[in-house]
Amino acid sequence: MHPKTFDALFLGPEASLRDALALLDATAQGIVLVADAQRRLLRTITDGDLRRAALAGLPPTTALAALPAKAPLCAALDASMRDVLEMMDAQRIDHVPIVDAQQRAVDLVTRRELSQKIWLSSPHLGDDEAALVQEAFRSNWIAPLGPHVDAFEREVAAHVGVAHAAATSSGTAALHLGLRLLGVGPGDLVLCSSLTFVASANPIRQLGATPVFIDSEPLGWNMSPSALRRALRTLAAEGRRPKAAVVVNLYGLSADMQALVPMLEEAGVPMLEDAAESLGARYRDRASGSFGALAVFSFNGNKIITTSGGGMLVGNDAALIEHARRLSTQAREAARHYEHVEDGYNYRMSNVLAGIGRGQLRVLEQRVDARRAVFAHYRAALAGRTGLRWMAEPPGHRGTRWLSAFVLERPQPQRARDLLLDFLERHNVEARPVWKPMHLQPLYAGCRYFGHDDDVSASLFAGGVCLPSGSNLQPEQLERVGALLQRGLDVVEAQA
Ligand SMILES: *Cc1c(COP(=O)(O)O)cnc(C)c1O
């Protein structure tokens, strides 16, 4: 509920039964919070309390303080949604006020909202997917490869403006193939954005190479050109040239390719563009995914469009993409029998799933518009609030806002972030911290890291929050999240 609605639920102990009845009617929330001037919760009043008072013959002018004492059923600020729900069931109540360490009521959870989960980013099917899958069934192409795969590859390549594409079983598989095709192998160094999902980095290690992590820049949160420059210079001075660079486009925003591409070209380091989160984004009139020697998309269930699971490796080099296709089908040579020279993988996309992907691609632009509208809603809802900074969309960019994200700028950002995430979780709203940077992961302890200036990615992790961002969020769900954010941030300001 909105802060104004929440504030309206309070009455002092001197108020009467009649006041409580009037307030229950006016607010229609089913509960009145009786509290002292510091908002310390004394008790709650529901319709049932008023009915019992009437049956006991108490006149409407009776002060609430004179009612039979009843300790308020409430929970603490660290209560989870599950705790609250268990309390509701055990006590047969529909509302649980949340109190802080001083017993002040700071929040109210209602049973109604707990029946309606709001997801971070859920699949959103269009009108054509079922028919395309049906077509795969009808023609009995229930196999990896098939006409939908071929068409999906052509359609994605055309959409991105690159010559070739190979559909894979996941974005991670495409990253693995891409690195191998760029020649990455044991003993190599590979540069990689630190602020990313672990799948950007894992294939580096799996190929026997060593990642070198690069910090973010503070505006768009993607790879910092100045940190990259220092890394390239430092490594060059040591006589080492990285074999490749995995440049991530975070949360639907392209990295600063105008700065990064020439730097990498000059150093002779090919770029593998991790565009898993940025399909549909543009940078200086080019599609995200068209900047690297190779680029990767993901169609995992939480991405802007999905095949339930899948990925794509794209690029302009026909030979590389042809090689990717061969490696992803067990590296079988052209022969009647099964002849193998290289070791390959089973990484191809199924024809059934490619049917879903073709339908999804037809609505991509609508999905981008819808996610951008979600972001605009949040920004308007929180306009004028201080202490938070949205992930920017610098000039020259058109991002997709795959996830709407901001960073809390406070003395103890991580505590504030966790309070806010706890608050949203308790109301059945899925929000997440920003990615934990790879250089802070135990898995990559000891790897080299080049910072921007301060450790930008570490502070984005400490205070960063990703909000529900699905293209299928309904206006009333957005209203609900916006109002919860207002109140959650109030709680953060009071407590953190
Ligand atoms: C989702 C994601 C991947 C992995 O894609 P999958 O299809 O889930 O394997 C890789 N990198 C980034 C940045 C991602 O967000």
Side-chain angles (χ1 to χ4, degrees), residues 170-172 175 196-197 199-200 248 274 276-277 298 300 303 310 435:
S170 70
T172 310
L175 281 160
T196 185
F197 180 48
S200 307
V248 178
D274 184 349
E277 302 179 0
S298 165
N300 191 28
K303 297 302 202 293
W435 297 127

Side-chain angles (χ1 to χ4, degrees), residues 377-421:
H377 176 94
Y378 289 140
R379 198 161 58 179
L382 300 184
R385 271 206 100 96
T386 55
L388 62 85
R389 184 165 52 84
W390 294 99
M391 182 180 166
E393 186 180 49
H397 287 268
R398 187 175 194 269
T400 66
R401 297 292 180 186
W402 172 58
L403 294 185
S404 289
F406 62 72
V407 60
L408 293 165
E409 295 187 306
R410 310 183 57 82
Q412 287 184 290
Q414 195 148 341
R415 183 175 140 67
R417 177 201 78 187
D418 288 339
L419 262 171
L420 184 65
L421 292 176

Side-chain angles (χ1 to χ4, degrees), residues 308-325:
S308 83
M312 188 90 66
L313 184 71
V314 306
N316 286 316
D317 186 327
L320 279 184
I321 298 298
E322 200 40 59
H323 195 179
R325 288 206 185 91

Side-chain angles (χ1 to χ4, degrees), residues 130-276:
L132 288 158
V133 170
Q134 193 59 42
E135 165 62 22
F137 276 70
R138 197 196 53 73
S139 56
N140 202 35
W141 275 106
I142 313 300
L145 309 187
H148 279 330
V149 174
D150 298 341
F152 190 35
E153 289 176 345
R154 280 195 305 273
E155 288 161 6
V156 168
H159 194 280
V160 177
V162 294
H164 304 284
T168 55
S169 51
S170 70
T172 310
L175 281 160
H176 189 189
L177 286 172
L179 286 170
R180 179 151 160 208
L181 290 167
L182 295 178
V184 173
D188 288 330
L189 296 182
V190 176
L191 304 170
C192 183
S193 307
S194 188
L195 190 66
T196 185
F197 180 48
V198 72
S200 307
N202 281 347
I204 299 172
R205 261 184 30 148
Q206 288 157 358
L207 285 164
T210 304
V212 174
F213 293 112
I214 311 293
D215 199 2
S216 302
E217 46 84 17
L219 265 189
W221 304 6
N222 281 306
M223 186 181 280
S224 154
S226 65
L228 175 65
R229 184 178 301 112
R230 269 198 307 111
L232 288 170
R233 283 194 184 146
T234 307
L235 295 174
E238 295 169 10
R240 302 221 49 185
R241 182 164 81 198
K243 197 73 178 194
V246 179
V247 175
V248 178
N249 303 312
L250 208 66
Y251 299 143
L253 186 77
S254 174
D256 182 0
M257 294 302 179
Q258 184 162 260
L260 300 175
V261 168
M263 240 184 261
L264 289 169
E265 269 175 6
E266 195 185 321
V269 180
M271 182 198 295
L272 176 58
E273 189 180 358
D274 184 349

